[in-house]
Amino acid sequence: SPDFLLMGNGCLFEARRLMQWCIRQAVPFANCLPLFCEDELARFGERNYRACLPHLLRRSRMVFSDNESTFALLRRLFGGECPPCTLVSNAPDVDCNQVEDWPTDDGTMRLLCMCRLTSWHKGLDLLVEVLSLSKWKTRPLFVDIYGEGEYAQTIERAIRERGIKATLNGYVPVIHRHHAGLFCSRMEGTPVVLTSYMLCHRMSIGTPVGGLPQCIVDDETGFMAESVSVEAIDAALERAW
């Protein structure tokens, strides 16, 4: 048996069997939980969480996360009976000593959206609907999308059939070509790319989920949508414009 087990939990409910094993084997453990949200509760049911997880988590030495919303949801769910919680920030994926140049001013506002190309999680279906609005088709605004995933073909079809101003560009973004980052997520931790944008002196436009509100201070470091919806994202983008 290991001396200690640090669990990287994509889903807390699915980690219950491993936590039970640790308790039976007397193996101390801690949990790393970057993404815990209302969607997970809806998927497995709050009653199931309350029935089996509080006594397991009380045996955890520590819960690590990159966002405060995870801890707030745990405290709400378990009535404050959580193990110690520690906030651990993601390391940015840029050279902190090298500031990215501002893009050449050609009259076009260029946004960078880098994420795993999944519809529900990252809200790319919402992004497609926003960019399909007539005003964003006529204004000099362009979105470069970087990433890989099953939603890529849908985005390519929307670009082709709806005439939205966006491109798919593979995986590695070039921050200096863009004025701001764009996040339409329905659930999120604290994205590495968000802190990277900030270190490159870029604002971001985002939804009020996960760690995004920790970094995006509305009208100061970016523009925060009031909710996760086409209307709210459009309104935030309008203010940024």
PDB file of all heavy atoms in Angstrom, residues 12-26:
ATOM      1  N   LEU A  12     -16.105  14.142  -7.887  1.00  0.00           N
ATOM      2  CA  LEU A  12     -15.971  13.763  -6.486  1.00  0.00           C
ATOM      3  C   LEU A  12     -16.788  12.514  -6.162  1.00  0.00           C
ATOM      4  O   LEU A  12     -16.340  11.637  -5.412  1.00  0.00           O
ATOM      5  CB  LEU A  12     -16.408  14.927  -5.599  1.00  0.00           C
ATOM      6  CG  LEU A  12     -16.149  14.791  -4.103  1.00  0.00           C
ATOM      7  CD1 LEU A  12     -14.664  14.605  -3.828  1.00  0.00           C
ATOM      8  CD2 LEU A  12     -16.659  16.020  -3.371  1.00  0.00           C
ATOM      9  N   PHE A  13     -17.995  12.399  -6.716  1.00  0.00           N
ATOM     10  CA  PHE A  13     -18.849  11.254  -6.404  1.00  0.00           C
ATOM     11  C   PHE A  13     -18.203   9.949  -6.862  1.00  0.00           C
ATOM     12  O   PHE A  13     -18.268   8.933  -6.176  1.00  0.00           O
ATOM     13  CB  PHE A  13     -20.216  11.430  -7.071  1.00  0.00           C
ATOM     14  CG  PHE A  13     -21.244  10.425  -6.624  1.00  0.00           C
ATOM     15  CD1 PHE A  13     -21.828  10.522  -5.370  1.00  0.00           C
ATOM     16  CD2 PHE A  13     -21.639   9.393  -7.454  1.00  0.00           C
ATOM     17  CE1 PHE A  13     -22.779   9.602  -4.950  1.00  0.00           C
ATOM     18  CE2 PHE A  13     -22.585   8.470  -7.049  1.00  0.00           C
ATOM     19  CZ  PHE A  13     -23.160   8.576  -5.786  1.00  0.00           C
ATOM     20  N   GLU A  14     -17.557   9.976  -8.040  1.00  0.00           N
ATOM     21  CA  GLU A  14     -16.935   8.765  -8.559  1.00  0.00           C
ATOM     22  C   GLU A  14     -15.668   8.384  -7.802  1.00  0.00           C
ATOM     23  O   GLU A  14     -15.149   7.284  -7.974  1.00  0.00           O
ATOM     24  CB  GLU A  14     -16.652   8.940 -10.048  1.00  0.00           C
ATOM     25  CG  GLU A  14     -17.930   9.008 -10.890  1.00  0.00           C
ATOM     26  CD  GLU A  14     -17.666   9.288 -12.350  1.00  0.00           C
ATOM     27  OE1 GLU A  14     -16.528   9.678 -12.690  1.00  0.00           O
ATOM     28  OE2 GLU A  14     -18.596   9.128 -13.158  1.00  0.00           O
ATOM     29  N   ALA A  15     -15.155   9.293  -6.962  1.00  0.00           N
ATOM     30  CA  ALA A  15     -13.953   8.998  -6.173  1.00  0.00           C
ATOM     31  C   ALA A  15     -14.285   8.317  -4.844  1.00  0.00           C
ATOM     32  O   ALA A  15     -13.381   7.957  -4.083  1.00  0.00           O
ATOM     33  CB  ALA A  15     -13.185  10.295  -5.900  1.00  0.00           C
ATOM     34  N   ARG A  16     -15.567   8.111  -4.565  1.00  0.00           N
ATOM     35  CA  ARG A  16     -15.936   7.606  -3.241  1.00  0.00           C
ATOM     36  C   ARG A  16     -15.363   6.213  -2.979  1.00  0.00           C
ATOM     37  O   ARG A  16     -14.977   5.909  -1.840  1.00  0.00           O
ATOM     38  CB  ARG A  16     -17.458   7.597  -3.086  1.00  0.00           C
ATOM     39  CG  ARG A  16     -18.196   6.617  -3.977  1.00  0.00           C
ATOM     40  CD  ARG A  16     -19.701   6.875  -3.987  1.00  0.00           C
ATOM     41  NE  ARG A  16     -20.443   5.860  -4.708  1.00  0.00           N
ATOM     42  CZ  ARG A  16     -20.525   5.785  -6.026  1.00  0.00           C
ATOM     43  NH1 ARG A  16     -19.884   6.678  -6.774  1.00  0.00           N
ATOM     44  NH2 ARG A  16     -21.227   4.827  -6.607  1.00  0.00           N
ATOM     45  N   ARG A  17     -15.297   5.358  -4.003  1.00  0.00           N
ATOM     46  CA  ARG A  17     -14.789   4.000  -3.788  1.00  0.00           C
ATOM     47  C   ARG A  17     -13.300   4.019  -3.446  1.00  0.00           C
ATOM     48  O   ARG A  17     -12.837   3.220  -2.628  1.00  0.00           O
ATOM     49  CB  ARG A  17     -15.055   3.137  -5.029  1.00  0.00           C
ATOM     50  CG  ARG A  17     -16.525   2.833  -5.254  1.00  0.00           C
ATOM     51  CD  ARG A  17     -16.709   1.814  -6.370  1.00  0.00           C
ATOM     52  NE  ARG A  17     -18.110   1.474  -6.543  1.00  0.00           N
ATOM     53  CZ  ARG A  17     -18.932   2.118  -7.346  1.00  0.00           C
ATOM     54  NH1 ARG A  17     -18.480   3.161  -8.050  1.00  0.00           N
ATOM     55  NH2 ARG A  17     -20.194   1.772  -7.457  1.00  0.00           N
ATOM     56  N   LEU A  18     -12.560   4.910  -4.075  1.00  0.00           N
ATOM     57  CA  LEU A  18     -11.131   5.013  -3.763  1.00  0.00           C
ATOM     58  C   LEU A  18     -10.927   5.557  -2.354  1.00  0.00           C
ATOM     59  O   LEU A  18     -10.035   5.094  -1.619  1.00  0.00           O
ATOM     60  CB  LEU A  18     -10.436   5.906  -4.788  1.00  0.00           C
ATOM     61  CG  LEU A  18      -8.908   5.985  -4.711  1.00  0.00           C
ATOM     62  CD1 LEU A  18      -8.277   4.601  -4.719  1.00  0.00           C
ATOM     63  CD2 LEU A  18      -8.356   6.839  -5.847  1.00  0.00           C
ATOM     64  N   MET A  19     -11.764   6.490  -1.935  1.00  0.00           N
ATOM     65  CA  MET A  19     -11.670   6.991  -0.565  1.00  0.00           C
ATOM     66  C   MET A  19     -12.025   5.887   0.436  1.00  0.00           C
ATOM     67  O   MET A  19     -11.383   5.751   1.483  1.00  0.00           O
ATOM     68  CB  MET A  19     -12.586   8.214  -0.381  1.00  0.00           C
ATOM     69  CG  MET A  19     -12.078   9.462  -1.072  1.00  0.00           C
ATOM     70  SD  MET A  19     -13.016  10.974  -0.645  1.00  0.00           S
ATOM     71  CE  MET A  19     -14.400  10.833  -1.778  1.00  0.00           C
ATOM     72  N   GLN A  20     -13.044   5.095   0.114  1.00  0.00           N
ATOM     73  CA  GLN A  20     -13.401   3.960   0.985  1.00  0.00           C
ATOM     74  C   GLN A  20     -12.260   2.961   1.094  1.00  0.00           C
ATOM     75  O   GLN A  20     -11.974   2.429   2.176  1.00  0.00           O
ATOM     76  CB  GLN A  20     -14.660   3.283   0.435  1.00  0.00           C
ATOM     77  CG  GLN A  20     -15.919   4.106   0.581  1.00  0.00           C
ATOM     78  CD  GLN A  20     -17.077   3.574  -0.247  1.00  0.00           C
ATOM     79  OE1 GLN A  20     -16.892   2.731  -1.137  1.00  0.00           O
ATOM     80  NE2 GLN A  20     -18.292   4.049   0.030  1.00  0.00           N
ATOM     81  N   TRP A  21     -11.583   2.703  -0.023  1.00  0.00           N
ATOM     82  CA  TRP A  21     -10.439   1.787  -0.008  1.00  0.00           C
ATOM     83  C   TRP A  21      -9.338   2.326   0.892  1.00  0.00           C
ATOM     84  O   TRP A  21      -8.744   1.580   1.683  1.00  0.00           O
ATOM     85  CB  TRP A  21      -9.911   1.594  -1.432  1.00  0.00           C
ATOM     86  CG  TRP A  21      -8.711   0.677  -1.498  1.00  0.00           C
ATOM     87  CD1 TRP A  21      -8.713  -0.674  -1.612  1.00  0.00           C
ATOM     88  CD2 TRP A  21      -7.345   1.085  -1.430  1.00  0.00           C
ATOM     89  NE1 TRP A  21      -7.425  -1.160  -1.627  1.00  0.00           N
ATOM     90  CE2 TRP A  21      -6.557  -0.097  -1.512  1.00  0.00           C
ATOM     91  CE3 TRP A  21      -6.692   2.307  -1.309  1.00  0.00           C
ATOM     92  CZ2 TRP A  21      -5.164  -0.079  -1.482  1.00  0.00           C
ATOM     93  CZ3 TRP A  21      -5.310   2.333  -1.270  1.00  0.00           C
ATOM     94  CH2 TRP A  21      -4.559   1.160  -1.357  1.00  0.00           C
ATOM     95  N   CYS A  22      -9.059   3.624   0.790  1.00  0.00           N
ATOM     96  CA  CYS A  22      -8.017   4.235   1.630  1.00  0.00           C
ATOM     97  C   CYS A  22      -8.344   4.077   3.116  1.00  0.00           C
ATOM     98  O   CYS A  22      -7.467   3.776   3.932  1.00  0.00           O
ATOM     99  CB  CYS A  22      -7.858   5.715   1.286  1.00  0.00           C
ATOM    100  SG  CYS A  22      -7.032   6.032  -0.283  1.00  0.00           S
ATOM    101  N   ILE A  23      -9.597   4.271   3.467  1.00  0.00           N
ATOM    102  CA  ILE A  23     -10.001   4.145   4.869  1.00  0.00           C
ATOM    103  C   ILE A  23      -9.848   2.702   5.344  1.00  0.00           C
ATOM    104  O   ILE A  23      -9.338   2.444   6.436  1.00  0.00           O
ATOM    105  CB  ILE A  23     -11.455   4.650   5.039  1.00  0.00           C
ATOM    106  CG1 ILE A  23     -11.514   6.173   4.789  1.00  0.00           C
ATOM    107  CG2 ILE A  23     -11.984   4.309   6.431  1.00  0.00           C
ATOM    108  CD1 ILE A  23     -12.913   6.717   4.703  1.00  0.00           C
ATOM    109  N   ARG A  24     -10.267   1.740   4.518  1.00  0.00           N
ATOM    110  CA  ARG A  24     -10.121   0.324   4.899  1.00  0.00           C
ATOM    111  C   ARG A  24      -8.660  -0.073   5.041  1.00  0.00           C
ATOM    112  O   ARG A  24      -8.307  -0.853   5.939  1.00  0.00           O
ATOM    113  CB  ARG A  24     -10.789  -0.568   3.845  1.00  0.00           C
ATOM    114  CG  ARG A  24     -12.302  -0.530   3.839  1.00  0.00           C
ATOM    115  CD  ARG A  24     -12.876  -1.711   3.071  1.00  0.00           C
ATOM    116  NE  ARG A  24     -12.366  -1.758   1.701  1.00  0.00           N
ATOM    117  CZ  ARG A  24     -12.961  -1.172   0.666  1.00  0.00           C
ATOM    118  NH1 ARG A  24     -14.085  -0.476   0.854  1.00  0.00           N
ATOM    119  NH2 ARG A  24     -12.456  -1.265  -0.543  1.00  0.00           N
ATOM    120  N   GLN A  25      -7.801   0.461   4.189  1.00  0.00           N
ATOM    121  CA  GLN A  25      -6.384   0.094   4.204  1.00  0.00           C
ATOM    122  C   GLN A  25      -5.550   0.993   5.119  1.00  0.00           C
ATOM    123  O   GLN A  25      -4.331   0.827   5.193  1.00  0.00           O
ATOM    124  CB  GLN A  25      -5.813   0.167   2.779  1.00  0.00           C
ATOM    125  CG  GLN A  25      -6.485  -0.758   1.784  1.00  0.00           C
ATOM    126  CD  GLN A  25      -6.296  -2.218   2.143  1.00  0.00           C
ATOM    127  OE1 GLN A  25      -5.226  -2.641   2.583  1.00  0.00           O
ATOM    128  NE2 GLN A  25      -7.361  -3.005   1.971  1.00  0.00           N
ATOM    129  N   ALA A  26      -6.205   1.939   5.799  1.00  0.00           N
ATOM    130  CA  ALA A  26      -5.516   2.883   6.686  1.00  0.00           C
ATOM    131  C   ALA A  26      -4.458   3.691   5.936  1.00  0.00           C
ATOM    132  O   ALA A  26      -3.361   3.952   6.448  1.00  0.00           O
ATOM    133  CB  ALA A  26      -4.896   2.152   7.871  1.00  0.00           C
TER     134      ALA A  26
END
